[in-house]
């Protein structure tokens, strides 16, 4: 613009004109001379937009699943551009598909993928594989739902165009994977699991279609292999070993197990999900509230707990009371409140753990918990010496150091274990899995 005024007059009126205001080509010249600078610092992505003049625009995170596909916007990641000032995106995955775009009036002026060259070799097998971006939605009631990102919006599995079978089964398994370590967090606007964007593998849930010729070749190969095996006397023994090793983890009965825990934080919930999944892999019938949030919202936490407790005890099952710092605080608060302990439910009407304390602690106070309950804790997160004397009248197992004894007790005793070798093998495998999950929880 041009401005003119009298210099020999105090407070002289000024006249201004902007002759180039309506010429869009000059604004485009400014954008052509602009530059986007990205710098990666651990999990932070620092960005700076350089331009000769102030301009109005937005910067956004996006995901480019293949090297030649359109970059899909990540919801709730848009920020207004501050020219020549350094800004940041927090808690980002270092993945070659993660990119940054600068928009102005529906037009993309800059696109950069900061990890494309540095990490592409590390992701060579998974760079363009069948992954899906999902977003966890958490309302005021702790009911986590999941949706798939398509075209910049979040679509429920039922309405998604993705080629999936059994949408309800997939939604449950994806939710379990999201709360465990199967999925990777791409970005979260709040730094936690609420409204987080996750990258989950889909290959194990989708129908893999093989052509007819390949199917026939595989079938012929299997038949030839079986005919050759029939000629050896060890076939029967081999099949027996195969059946014992893979079809039965070493326990005769699939006992019902109800896990009670307090959700200290999102990472602890993922650890509990990993623990419950490991028990379920051993053919235990595991029930844990984070897998049944929809049912809890429908019937209420108190009704859901009592129905599950009744079924478990009627079927000679076992209740695993998992102690943590948050659980101990709630138990102490319950004992101190006395007759006013109903205020726990007014504060947290949705918390299954709080709803169960009237029944659980009363059983321990009345010396009726033996045979129905066992106490456990993750020893790197909660010390055994901090367990109150009230809970010491039932078996107590710090994990993973006493995992073998814990599994024997959950199974119903040594008489229910058919193979000590299988018990040791599965205990070792689960111990490694829990140790890794506890380490991640401790450092998150």
């Amino acid at each position: 613009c041009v401005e003119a005024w009298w210099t020999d007059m105090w407070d002289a009126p000024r006249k201004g004109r902007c002759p180039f205001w309506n010429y869009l080509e000059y604004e485009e010249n400014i954008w052509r001379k602009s530059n986007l600078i990205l710098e990666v610092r651990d999990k932070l992505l620092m960005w700076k937009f350089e331009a000769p003049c102030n301009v109005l625009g937005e910067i956004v995170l996006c995901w480019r699943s293949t090297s030649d596909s359109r970059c899909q916007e990540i919801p709730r990641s848009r920020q207004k551009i501050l020219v020549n000032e350094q800004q940041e995106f927090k808690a980002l995955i270092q993945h070659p598909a993660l990119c940054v775009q600068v928009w102005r009036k529906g037009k993309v002026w800059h696109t950069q993928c900061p990890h494309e060259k540095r990490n592409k070799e590390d992701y060579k097998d998974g760079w363009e594989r069948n992954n899906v971006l999902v977003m966890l939605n958490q309302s005021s009631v702790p009911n986590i739902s999941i949706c798939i990102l398509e075209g910049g919006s979040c679509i429920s599995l039922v309405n998604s165009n993705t080629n999936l079978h059994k949408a309800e089964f997939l939604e449950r398994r994806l939710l379990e994977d999201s709360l465990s370590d199967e999925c990777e967090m791409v970005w979260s606007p709040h730094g936690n699991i609420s409204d987080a964007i996750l990258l989950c593998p889909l290959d194990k849930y989708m129908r893999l279609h093989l052509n007819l010729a390949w199917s026939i070749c595989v079938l012929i190969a299997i038949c030839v292999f079986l005919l050759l095996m029939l000629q050896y006397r060890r076939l029967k023994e081999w099949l027996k070993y195969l059946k014992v090793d893979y079809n039965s983890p070493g326990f005769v009965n699939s006992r019902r197990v109800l896990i009670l825990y307090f959700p200290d934080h999102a990472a602890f919930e993922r650890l509990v999900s990993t623990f419950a999944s490991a028990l379920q892999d051993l053919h235990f019938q595991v029930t844990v509230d984070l897998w049944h949030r929809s049912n809890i919202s429908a019937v209420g936490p108190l009704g859901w707990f009592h129905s599950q407790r009744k079924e478990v005890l009627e079927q000679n099952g076992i209740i695993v009371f998992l102690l943590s710092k948050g659980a101990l605080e709630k138990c102490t608060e319950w004992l101190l409140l006395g007759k006013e302990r109903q205020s726990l439910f007014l504060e947290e009407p949705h918390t299954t753990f709080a709803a169960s304390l009237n029944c659980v602690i009363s059983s321990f106070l009345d010396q009726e918990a033996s045979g129905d309950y066992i106490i456990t804790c993750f020893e790197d997160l909660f010390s055994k010496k901090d367990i109150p004397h009230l809970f010491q009248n039932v078996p107590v197992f710090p994990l993973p150091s006493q995992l073998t004894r814990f599994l024997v007790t959950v199974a119903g005793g040594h008489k229910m274990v058919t193979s000590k070798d299988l018990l040791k093998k599965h205990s070792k495998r689960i111990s490694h899995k829990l140790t890794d999950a506890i380490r991640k929880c401790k450092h998150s």
Side-chain angles (χ1 to χ4, degrees):
C1 299
V2 179
E3 193 174 58
W5 67 94
W6 295 101
T7 59
D8 56 351
M9 292 179 59
W10 180 82
D11 198 22
R14 301 189 176 202
K15 296 290 184 180
R17 295 288 186 271
C18 298
F20 311 107
W21 187 260
N22 295 321
Y23 291 84
L24 297 180
E25 59 267 31
Y26 295 113
E27 182 181 4
E28 291 185 357
N29 286 339
I30 296 175
W31 278 94
R32 289 191 187 98
K33 293 180 178 294
S34 65
N35 185 32
L36 177 63
I37 300 175
L38 301 180
E39 181 182 356
V40 179
R41 297 180 184 174
D42 196 12
K43 290 188 177 182
L44 294 180
L45 179 61
M46 315 298 295
W47 62 270
K48 184 177 182 181
F49 181 78
E50 296 181 341
C53 306
N54 284 330
V55 291
L56 298 178
E58 293 178 309
I59 189 168
V60 63
L61 293 174
C62 64
W63 189 266
R64 189 161 60 187
S65 56
T66 59
S67 56
D68 56 350
S69 64
R70 185 178 65 88
C71 206
Q72 177 179 242
E73 180 179 344
I74 294 179
R76 304 177 185 177
S77 66
R78 280 185 175 258
Q79 297 182 17
K80 290 184 178 180
I81 288 177
L82 298 177
V83 177
N84 299 325
E85 291 188 20
Q86 193 171 58
Q87 304 293 315
E88 66 182 24
F89 286 110
K90 297 180 178 179
L92 291 173
I93 184 178
Q94 294 190 5
H95 194 285
L98 185 65
C99 303
V100 179
Q101 287 186 333
V102 176
W103 286 74
R104 165 65 174 165
K105 294 182 179 179
K107 182 178 179 180
V108 179
W109 284 94
H110 297 281
T111 300
Q112 290 190 32
C113 305
H115 308 292
E116 185 172 11
K117 294 182 180 179
R118 192 180 77 177
N119 285 352
K120 197 165 183 178
E121 289 300 321
D122 298 337
Y123 286 84
K124 190 173 183 180
D125 295 332
W127 163 232
E128 295 184 355
R129 73 175 188 176
N130 207 359
N131 289 329
V132 64
L133 282 180
V134 300
M135 183 168 73
L136 293 180
N137 295 316
Q138 190 168 12
S139 60
S140 57
V141 178
N143 184 22
I144 299 178
S145 62
I146 198 167
C147 55
I148 291 181
L149 296 183
E150 286 186 358
S153 59
C154 206
I155 304 173
S156 66
L157 287 169
V158 177
N159 299 326
S160 175
N161 294 326
T162 309
N163 185 20
L164 305 172
H165 64 91
K166 297 182 179 179
E168 293 182 357
F169 166 79
L170 178 63
E171 181 175 8
R172 182 174 64 86
R173 293 308 302 268
L174 278 177
L175 185 56
E176 292 177 14
D177 288 349
S178 301
L179 296 175
S180 61
D181 297 325
E182 296 292 332
C183 299
E184 284 192 276
M185 182 179 291
V186 175
W187 181 73
S188 173
H190 311 298
N192 54 34
I193 200 170
S194 178
D195 298 328
I197 308 298
L198 305 173
L199 180 67
C200 300
L202 269 185
D203 290 336
K204 59 182 178 180
Y205 305 127
M206 300 187 69
R207 296 185 184 275
L208 301 177
H209 298 282
L210 299 176
N211 58 52
L212 183 58
W214 175 249
S215 300
I216 293 175
C217 291
V218 172
L219 183 60
I220 292 175
I222 292 174
C223 292
V224 172
F225 175 76
L226 291 177
L227 288 173
L228 292 174
M229 290 297 298
L230 287 173
Q231 299 179 13
Y232 294 94
R233 294 180 180 178
R234 290 199 231 171
L235 176 61
K236 194 172 183 179
E237 181 181 353
W238 179 80
L239 289 176
K240 182 179 180 181
Y241 171 79
L242 193 66
K243 181 179 180 181
V244 171
D245 198 20
Y246 294 99
N247 292 342
S248 175
F251 301 102
V252 175
N253 295 322
S254 55
R255 197 179 187 192
R256 284 289 302 273
V257 179
L258 173 61
I259 300 177
L260 300 179
Y261 75 100
F262 182 78
D264 289 26
H265 44 76
F268 188 78
E269 278 196 299
R270 291 195 292 271
L271 173 59
V272 173
S273 180
T274 300
F275 174 57
S277 297
L279 293 181
Q280 190 166 263
D281 290 342
L282 296 181
H283 294 188
F284 288 117
Q285 299 181 48
V286 181
T287 301
V288 60
D289 63 356
L290 63 88
W291 292 350
H292 300 274
R293 292 275 164 83
S294 298
N295 292 338
I296 294 173
S297 298
V299 304
L302 191 60
W304 182 87
F305 164 73
H306 280 290
S307 66
Q308 296 299 320
R309 178 181 181 275
K310 181 180 178 182
E311 289 181 13
V312 168
L313 297 183
E314 284 179 351
Q315 298 176 23
N316 194 30
I318 192 73
I319 300 175
V320 177
F321 196 66
L322 179 58
L323 280 176
S324 63
K325 292 180 181 179
L328 180 60
E329 290 178 2
K330 285 299 175 185
C331 292
T332 304
E333 183 181 358
W334 191 96
L335 292 168
L336 292 176
L337 284 175
K339 294 182 180 180
E340 299 177 357
R341 57 177 64 106
Q342 290 297 330
S343 64
L344 281 174
F345 305 119
L346 297 177
E347 293 175 5
E348 297 177 305
H350 54 266
T351 303
T352 306
F353 182 84
S356 68
L357 289 183
N358 275 344
C359 181
V360 174
I361 298 183
S362 297
S363 297
F364 281 93
L365 291 173
D366 297 337
Q367 301 292 319
E368 297 176 352
S370 181
D372 295 337
Y373 293 85
I374 59 175
I375 303 295
T376 187
C377 64
F378 299 119
E379 52 197 344
D380 286 349
L381 304 176
F382 186 84
S383 176
K384 181 182 178 180
K385 66 181 181 180
D386 294 331
I387 298 177
H389 181 72
L390 171 66
F391 299 117
Q392 301 273 347
N393 58 350
V394 299
V396 178
F397 302 102
L399 299 180
S401 64
Q402 297 187 21
L403 181 61
T404 302
R405 292 180 54 207
F406 170 80
L407 294 177
V408 171
T409 303
V410 172
H414 286 283
K415 63 181 180 180
M416 305 302 295
V417 180
T418 60
S419 171
K420 292 183 179 180
D421 292 336
L422 286 177
L423 174 63
K424 291 180 180 179
K425 185 186 73 171
H426 289 292
S427 296
K428 185 177 181 180
R429 177 177 58 82
I430 297 174
S431 179
H432 287 313
K433 195 171 185 179
L434 279 181
T435 301
D436 185 58
I438 292 171
R439 178 182 55 81
K440 292 181 180 179
C441 178
K442 192 174 182 180
H443 294 144
S444 63

